[in-house]
Amino acid sequence: MASTVDRRLELHDILKSICPNCYFSPPANKQLKYPCIIYNRTNNLTQYGDNKPYLITTRYSVMVIDPDPDSEIVPEIEKLPLCTFDRHYSVDNLNHDSFSIYF
């Protein structure tokens, strides 16, 4: 079974194939290049059998930040399995599209 780190790196590779500027939990002082994808771990979905966890799926928050309100990145993220769109908002002339994805 793949470790959590291995699965996260697999997700990172997928997101990086969609947008080269991809960041996992960047520090506040990190200079970002736009458009970009920022993602972080938010929760786990645990399924139990015989009162023991047997399948743990990690949920990530994925944020697309793009000056273009019609970002070409957003439809690519929406195509990912177990991905749901959460919301859109604008701050400082940057458009933010938020998603949740189980991976």
Side-chain angles (χ1 to χ4, degrees):
M1 185 158 96
S3 74
T4 303
V5 173
D6 291 340
R7 293 285 293 159
R8 189 195 64 78
L9 292 175
E10 185 180 342
L11 175 60
H12 186 84
D13 289 342
I14 291 168
L15 296 175
K16 198 159 183 83
S17 73
I18 296 170
C19 178
N21 302 321
C22 185
Y23 308 96
F24 175 68
S25 297
N29 63 351
K30 175 76 174 173
Q31 182 67 35
L32 304 177
K33 295 180 183 176
Y34 301 109
C36 70
I37 296 173
I38 297 174
Y39 69 105
N40 54 54
R41 194 176 64 222
T42 58
N43 203 350
N44 287 337
L45 175 64
T46 305
Q47 296 178 359
Y48 295 89
D50 196 22
N51 292 326
K52 297 177 187 172
Y54 75 92
L55 180 61
I56 299 171
T57 307
T58 304
R59 183 175 73 186
Y60 292 90
S61 173
V62 177
M63 177 75 65
V64 175
I65 304 175
D66 195 335
D68 182 2
D70 293 321
S71 174
E72 295 179 5
I73 300 168
V74 170
E76 296 303 312
I77 298 293
E78 289 176 317
K79 292 177 188 175
L80 296 174
L82 299 176
C83 181
T84 57
F85 177 76
D86 293 327
R87 62 184 237 161
H88 171 88
Y89 60 94
S90 295
V91 176
D92 296 330
N93 295 320
L94 291 172
N95 298 280
H96 298 64
D97 289 280
S98 176
F99 300 86
S100 293
I101 185 168
Y102 285 95
F103 198 82

